[in-house]
Amino acid sequence: MTDKNKTAISAEDAEAHKEKMKAQQGEHRAKMREKEKAERGLLLVHTGDGKGKSTAAFGTIIRALGWGWNVGIVQYIKGTWKTGEKEFFKRFDDLVTMKTMGDGFTWDTQDKEQDIASARKAWIESKAMMSSGDYDLVVLDELNIVLRNNYLSVEEVLDGLADRHVDTDVIVTGRTAPQALMDAADLVTEMTMIKHPFEAGIKAKQGIDY
């Protein structure tokens, strides 16, 4: 019995495809031979107006945990806001050290002095994590928002990142990453919003947005 959904491919097409893939394989292997294994921790920045910056960071955390890495997280803005990631990691506090140290969105706190104090406290915790050598990966969630609001100086943050343990990778998330941070990073990903349900009048959805 033949599969009606299977596309018939001629012998010539099959052979041409095979040769094309072999050529691509050769090109890829040649490029890989030119690359070197990272001998230090990398700095990754997730920024942009689109959804997915923190989500991508948490996806990387899952990957890191799969390899037995020690992971630390400092959340700068979300405060007491109940999120799915916080509820999840509470169940596995032996695998991840998560410090939620913000007081919520700035339009909720309405207290710049308090916000600066919270950012300072979170940054002290971040530096301790990054320099300790105890963590393979440290995620500084929404740090870019703190920098945008000038609660911490970019220069101070860059110095702290540069002083991290040589083996520690760091991910910084949040909109409007400063150019100096992006210049210092090994990887910068900008999330671009094409469509968002909020723009269509739909509130943030539990399990999808938080």
Side-chain angles (χ1 to χ4, degrees), residues 186-197:
D186 297 287
L187 178 148
V188 178
T189 299
E190 182 176 16
M191 309 294 184
T192 302
M193 187 185 75
I194 305 301
K195 293 180 70 174
H196 196 295

Side-chain angles (χ1 to χ4, degrees), residues 16 19 26 33 35 40 45 47 51 53 57 71 76 85 88 99 103 107 111 131 140 164 174 179 197 199 202 207:
E19 291 303 315
R33 285 193 293 270
K35 310 301 179 183
R40 59 174 176 80
V45 174
T47 192
K51 172 178 166 54
K53 298 174 285 294
V71 177
Y76 276 79
E85 59 267 22
F88 178 81
K99 305 282 188 178
D103 296 308
W107 56 78
D111 187 334
S131 63
L140 307 180
R164 71 186 185 274
Q179 187 62 51
E199 301 300 319
I202 299 173

Side-chain angles (χ1 to χ4, degrees), residues 37-148:
K37 184 178 179 180
E39 299 296 337
R40 59 174 176 80
L42 302 179
L43 174 59
L44 295 75
V45 174
H46 298 173
T47 192
D49 292 332
K51 172 178 166 54
K53 298 174 285 294
S54 296
T55 305
F58 288 119
T60 304
I61 289 170
I62 292 172
R63 178 176 290 161
L65 292 174
W67 290 108
W69 285 21
N70 293 321
V71 177
I73 305 167
V74 179
Q75 289 193 303
Y76 276 79
I77 298 295
K78 288 163 182 171
T80 58
W81 186 24
K82 191 174 183 179
T83 63
E85 59 267 22
K86 190 158 44 174
E87 294 302 299
F88 178 81
F89 288 126
K90 279 198 305 189
R91 305 177 198 173
F92 303 96
D93 56 2
D94 58 324
L95 299 177
V96 175
T97 301
M98 187 171 191
K99 305 282 188 178
T100 302
M101 306 186 70
D103 296 308
F105 295 107
T106 54
W107 56 78
D108 290 326
T109 63
Q110 301 174 17
D111 187 334
K112 186 173 183 178
E113 186 175 353
Q114 175 185 327
D115 290 339
I116 292 173
S118 295
R120 170 65 48 197
K121 186 177 179 181
W123 178 239
I124 292 171
E125 185 66 41
S126 300
K127 288 196 296 181
M129 278 189 180
M130 291 189 296
S131 63
S132 67
D134 295 334
Y135 298 95
D136 303 290
L137 174 64
V138 174
V139 174
L140 307 180
D141 191 33
E142 305 291 1
L143 175 57
N144 287 333
I145 305 302
V146 167
L147 295 174
R148 180 186 70 191

